[in-house]
Amino acid sequence: MNKTIHSHNAEPLVDDLTLEAREEQETEELMAGLAAYARSLELQIVQLRCQINELTPAGQEKPFPELHTDLYESFDQYAAYGKFEHVLQSLK
């Protein structure tokens, strides 16, 4: 059902398809923003781990020999993943 919202002049202002497209775009922007933020947090964690390793006294084992270990999680098991896979590529 395609409803149209009319102004006082009886001309369409926004139809359902436009509203749906706008909502889809806003959702994509949100997902992209969240992915970018998650990526920036990952980079900050790696930098902190590097600093911690550098501060480790000589002769002691570095706490983070593998800087990227256990930082990443896969979300491809979620039904909506395919819809946003292009946005989430930066997290791989």
Side-chain angles (χ1 to χ4, degrees), residues 2 4-5 9 20 35 39 45 58-59 66 73 78-79:
N2 189 10
T4 304
I5 300 170
N9 300 353
E20 194 174 307
R39 183 70 178 137
I45 290 169
E66 298 292 328
E73 186 173 335
Y78 291 93

Side-chain angles (χ1 to χ4, degrees), residues 4 6-7 17 20 23 26 33 35-36 41 47 50 54 64 66 72-74 77 79 82 86:
T4 304
H6 294 276
S7 68
L17 294 176
E20 194 174 307
E23 185 177 307
E26 290 171 354
L41 291 176
Q47 289 174 343
C50 284
E54 289 171 6
F64 300 103
E66 298 292 328
Y72 307 101
E73 186 173 335
S74 174
Q77 72 275 15
H86 63 285

